[in-house]
């Protein structure tokens, strides 16, 4: 069976949930081989084996980790040439999409981004599903040339365990000088919020203009549900919440089991980031707010009254 | 410094965007279009850089006749000249082919390798965010993407990028390609003077032949990916709406419990 390359998304060996999802998807297409770039392989190995990686190609060169995406694209291009995989699966985050873009050009291969489902195609290849035009259309697509390169969004598959050998093989790569053109000179780690990652969370609670800058009730409600916290562009532009938490066209696209919009009117740009969520709840003072068109449950009221009451009720129900 | 800004003409996100029934491509003609909002930030940043020093700003687009509107907007904002690549053979091109045509157009517009190429962070229609990286690959340039701050000092370009885990400073040497986010600036509105001046600014129209690109390398038939089908998502049905009469939060919690979220 052909190999399927999965680029591992990790922080010093702590593997993100998306990688387990990608390995699960890879098993539909062939035999998963993880590609691990950076330090911390020993910590990652167990997770990679648990989700079915038969092989792990390791790259630890500082030539790769200190620079932006171009060296990682060179690593993958070399593996594509050596191993002739059936497909390459890459996490659909900003770095992943750029790696995929360069890889597609290098290997003369078709690229699909932001897939929400990937299946083996009839007669070989892959068949992907994407959600487009702010979630108003669903598109099915296939790759018709080269090695299918697909970036896959978080929550596109439920991770399923399957024992793999995770036999590691250190890959020697020569990185071109051209790929070292952009160097990371400083990196200031963000303070951890202790909440789930926005794009991976099962529940997201977002606040908008209606918070007036006070995200206290939004955060408290999110914490009662174990949810991530998001923000509308209006709240971000006002400086009330960081841009990395922005949900919408120019921020994160989320598709959780439950999305709660508090004090958000629901402009098209915001809807583009959340309308594929399974269940949607809104709390807004304005009964005419367009967000109410999308909701499964809506409360016309003041979020400063409604959310604290709901928070207490949720806490009481959880005991 | 001479800067080339790549821009895209996209269907207005406020209108009903759709596909062409015949070939599953994005309908760019039947709906109102405009300069992709996210490209305005790249135009603005180019103008600021040139205004602080010297040089000129060239905007480049690929698209049907209507795409001239996107160039007009950029010229009205203050860009010096524009290039419109149009050719019937381009219709249906994927990102790979688009980057090929764009790379040739950028080189021709700059008379060689440009010093700085600026783009937006994504288009508002395809939203793939991959063309900047592909273009950098084809031009052999370092790419510095998603800049929320950009400074150019001599031959060195420095950007700040706000990622999920960290805020990074990234340095590259010119020539380079930089994509900018909507956090980088506040794009100007065209002034009356700018609108009048734009009418006299040169807009060149180039075909594939002008760029030395073979028509067989672009278009729907040459695409390396294929849209097999498109389906309109059924509109969400509005669920239960309650007005808070002192018990809205309790009702909300009851809904969550009933739906097994609690």
């Amino acid at each position: 069976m052909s190999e399927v390359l999965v680029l591992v998304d990790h922080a010093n060996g702590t593997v993100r949930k998306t990688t387990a999802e990608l390995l699960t998807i890879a098993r539909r297409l062939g035999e998963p081989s993880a590609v691990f770039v950076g330090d911390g392989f020993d910590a990652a190995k167990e997770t990679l084996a648990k989700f079915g990686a038969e092989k792990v190609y390791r790259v630890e060169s500082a030539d790769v980790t200190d620079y932006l995406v171009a060296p990682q694209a060179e690593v993958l291009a070399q593996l594509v040439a050596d191993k002739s995989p059936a497909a390459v699966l890459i996490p659909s985050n900003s770095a992943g999409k750029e790696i995929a873009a360069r890889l597609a050009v290098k290997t003369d291969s078709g690229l699909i981004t932001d897939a929400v489902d990937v299946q083996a195609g009839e007669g070989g290849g892959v068949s992907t599903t994407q959600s487009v035009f702010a979630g108003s259309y669903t598109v099915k697509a296939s790759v018709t040339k080269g090695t299918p390169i697909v970036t896959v969004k978080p929550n596109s598959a439920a991770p399923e365990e399957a024992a793999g050998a995770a036999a590691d093989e250190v890959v020697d790569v020569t990185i071109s000088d051209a790929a070292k053109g952009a160097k990371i000179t400083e990196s200031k780690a963000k303070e951890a919020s202790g909440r789930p990652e926005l794009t991976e969370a099962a529940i997201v609670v977002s606040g908008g203009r209606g918070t007036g800058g006070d995200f206290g009730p939004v955060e408290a409600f999110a914490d009662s549900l174990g949810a991530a916290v998001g923000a509308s562009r209006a709240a971000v532009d006002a400086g009330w919440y960081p841009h990395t938490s922005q949900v919408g066209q120019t921020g994160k696209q989320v598709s959780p089991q439950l999305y709660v919009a508090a004090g958000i009117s629901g402009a098209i740009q915001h809807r583009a980031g959340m309308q594929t969520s399974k269940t949607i709840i809104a709390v807004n003072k304005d009964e005419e707010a367009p967000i109410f068109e999308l909701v499964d449950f809506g409360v016309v009221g003041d979020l400063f009254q409604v959310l604290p009451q709901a928070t207490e009720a949720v806490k009481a129900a959880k005991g | 410094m001479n800067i080339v800004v790549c821009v895209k003409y996209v269907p207005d996100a406020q209108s009903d965007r759709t596909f062409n029934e015949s070939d599953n491509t994005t309908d760019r003609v039947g709906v109102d279009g405009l300069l992709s909002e996210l490209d305005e930030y790249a135009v603005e940043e180019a103008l600021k850089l040139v205004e602080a020093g010297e040089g000129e700003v060239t905007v480049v687009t690929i698209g049907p006749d209507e795409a001239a509107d996107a160039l007009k907007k950029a010229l009205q904002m203050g860009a010096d000249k524009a290039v419109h690549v149009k050719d019937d053979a381009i219709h249906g091109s994927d990102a790979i082919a688009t980057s090929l045509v764009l790379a040739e157009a950028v080189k021709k517009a700059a008379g060689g390798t440009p010093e700085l190429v600026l783009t937006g962070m994504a288009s508002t229609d395809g939203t793939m965010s991959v063309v900047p990286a592909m273009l950098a690959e084809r031009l052999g340039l370092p790419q510095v993407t998603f800049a929320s701050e950009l400074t150019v000092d001599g031959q060195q370009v420095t950007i700040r990028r706000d990622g999920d885990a960290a805020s990074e400073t990234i340095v590259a040497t010119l020539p380079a390609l930089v994509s900018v986010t909507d956090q980088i600036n506040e794009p100007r509105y065209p002034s009356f003077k700018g609108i009048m001046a734009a009418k006299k600014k040169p807009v060149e129209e180039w075909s594939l032949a002008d760029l030395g690109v073979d028509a067989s390398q672009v278009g729907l038939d040459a695409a390396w990916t294929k849209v097999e089908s498109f389906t309109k998502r059924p509109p969400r049905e509005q669920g239960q709406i309650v007005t808070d009469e002192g018990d809205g939060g309790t009702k909300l919690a009851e809904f969550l419990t009933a739906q097994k979220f609690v």
Side-chain angles (χ1 to χ4, degrees):
Chain A
M1 193 155 44
S2 316
E3 291 181 53
V4 176
L5 299 181
V6 171
L7 182 63
V8 177
D9 190 3
H10 71 99
N12 293 319
T14 306
V15 178
R16 286 186 190 279
K17 184 169 140 249
T18 49
T19 299
E21 294 165 2
L22 261 58
L23 288 169
T24 302
I25 289 172
R27 295 205 301 272
R28 300 172 189 161
L29 311 172
E31 197 168 83
S33 295
V35 180
F36 187 90
V37 177
D39 297 328
F41 171 71
D42 291 342
K45 181 171 177 166
E46 192 187 335
T47 311
L48 299 177
K50 192 163 85 176
F51 290 98
E54 290 298 337
K55 286 185 195 159
V56 184
Y57 299 114
R58 291 168 57 188
V59 181
E60 289 178 337
S61 161
D63 272 359
V64 177
T65 49
D66 288 353
Y67 296 90
L68 284 188
V69 298
Q72 295 200 51
E74 290 195 354
V75 168
L76 287 171
Q78 189 175 320
L79 285 168
V80 167
D82 292 349
K83 314 289 176 190
S84 307
V88 183
L89 303 180
I90 297 175
S92 212
N93 50 38
S94 58
K97 290 209 271 188
E98 291 174 23
I99 291 166
R102 284 191 171 247
L103 180 62
V105 173
K106 280 178 194 299
T107 59
D108 278 354
S109 297
L111 165 66
I112 287 169
T113 60
D114 296 319
V116 294
D117 192 19
V118 184
Q119 300 286 346
E122 289 173 27
V126 299
S127 170
T128 67
T129 306
Q130 292 91 248
S131 178
V132 303
F133 292 161
S136 59
Y137 279 87
T138 301
V139 159
K140 285 196 185 300
S142 61
V143 171
T144 51
K145 187 176 172 197
T147 305
I149 298 166
V150 184
T151 76
V152 184
K153 293 187 82 162
N155 294 326
S156 295
E160 289 164 22
E161 294 186 15
D168 62 310
E169 180 182 320
V170 175
V171 182
D172 283 325
V173 289
T174 320
I175 302 301
S176 70
D177 285 342
K180 298 184 209 162
K183 187 171 170 65
I184 301 165
T185 56
E186 195 188 347
S187 183
K188 274 187 230 150
K190 294 255 162 78
E191 219 170 289
S193 68
R195 299 192 180 96
E197 171 77 24
L198 187 55
T199 53
E200 296 173 10
I203 303 177
V204 174
V205 181
S206 291
R209 203 187 296 273
T211 64
D214 178 3
F215 265 63
V218 171
E219 290 182 337
F221 186 52
D223 290 342
S224 75
L225 293 165
V229 175
S232 72
R233 182 168 175 175
V236 170
D237 282 352
W240 299 338
Y241 229 69
H243 180 246
T244 46
S245 300
Q246 184 176 319
V247 172
Q249 187 171 51
T250 59
K252 301 280 160 44
Q253 278 89 49
V254 300
S255 198
Q257 297 294 317
L258 171 65
Y259 186 86
V260 181
I264 294 175
S265 66
I268 178 83
Q269 286 83 355
H270 188 71
R271 300 215 299 251
M274 47 65 74
Q275 74 178 352
T276 57
S277 305
K278 290 247 165 42
T279 299
I280 298 175
I281 291 177
V283 179
N284 203 303
K285 268 200 256 190
D286 176 10
E287 62 180 331
E288 304 286 327
I291 192 82
F292 284 124
E293 295 163 13
L294 304 177
V295 300
D296 297 282
F297 188 83
V299 182
V300 180
D302 183 352
L303 70 93
F304 289 94
Q305 304 295 326
V306 175
L307 289 187
Q309 189 180 60
T311 305
E312 289 313 311
V314 168
K315 280 187 187 163
K318 282 188 168 176
Chain B
M1 181 169 47
N2 293 325
I3 304 172
V4 178
V5 186
C6 302
V7 301
K8 188 175 183 185
Y9 175 80
V10 298
D12 189 347
Q14 306 289 348
S15 66
D16 283 330
R17 293 179 289 182
T18 185
F19 291 87
N20 292 312
E21 292 282 349
S22 57
D23 62 4
N24 295 355
T25 59
T26 304
D27 184 353
R28 298 189 193 284
V29 177
V31 292
D32 289 340
L34 74 179
L35 171 62
S36 177
E37 183 202 333
L38 295 172
D39 293 341
E40 291 185 17
Y41 299 91
V43 173
E44 175 67 32
E45 199 61 20
L47 295 174
K48 281 168 69 178
L49 285 170
V50 166
E51 282 161 5
E54 54 180 23
E56 58 179 18
V57 176
T58 306
V59 283
V60 176
T61 198
I62 304 173
D65 292 342
E66 291 80 359
D69 285 354
L71 295 176
K72 189 162 90 181
K73 174 78 181 283
L75 292 173
Q76 289 174 343
M77 287 173 71
D80 298 286
K81 55 185 185 166
V83 171
H84 185 175
V85 182
K86 61 174 178 178
D87 198 308
D88 290 345
I90 294 172
H91 173 80
S93 292
D94 59 1
I96 297 261
T98 301
S99 69
L100 173 72
V101 177
L102 210 43
E104 294 308 319
V106 166
K107 277 192 273 187
K108 187 172 157 91
T113 303
E115 288 178 276
L116 181 61
V117 181
L118 288 181
T119 73
M121 61 188 277
S123 61
T124 57
D125 56 351
T127 67
M128 290 178 80
S129 278
V130 295
V131 167
M134 288 177 172
L135 186 58
E137 177 73 28
R138 291 191 186 278
L139 293 170
L141 295 180
Q143 97 206 45
V144 196
T145 47
F146 297 97
S148 52
E149 245 177 60
L150 166 66
T151 51
V152 179
D153 187 5
Q155 286 302 299
Q156 181 170 290
V157 48
T158 306
I159 74 140
R160 198 190 76 229
R161 162 148 73 171
D162 293 317
D164 289 336
S167 177
E168 295 170 328
T169 305
I170 297 157
V171 174
T173 306
L174 294 177
L177 179 143
V178 178
S179 81
V180 304
T181 72
D182 60 338
Q183 300 297 300
I184 197 164
N185 57 40
E186 195 59 53
R188 68 193 68 183
Y189 288 101
S191 64
F192 179 71
K193 205 173 135 208
I195 291 169
M196 297 311 288
K199 294 180 179 176
K200 297 197 189 79
K201 289 177 179 171
V203 179
E204 294 209 44
E205 292 186 1
W206 294 340
S207 66
L208 289 175
D210 292 330
L211 296 175
V213 175
D214 193 299
S216 68
Q217 293 175 278
V218 302
L220 197 55
D221 291 340
W224 298 353
T225 52
K226 184 168 180 232
V227 173
E228 306 283 355
S229 66
F230 61 90
T231 320
K232 195 166 172 65
R233 182 183 282 267
R236 291 187 84 105
E237 288 190 21
Q238 193 180 58
Q240 188 190 356
I241 309 276
V242 300
T243 300
D244 181 31
E245 290 165 346
D247 58 355
T250 308
K251 285 182 172 163
L252 201 168
E254 284 167 3
F255 175 83
L256 291 176
T257 307
Q259 299 288 319
K260 304 202 177 356
F261 286 112
V262 176

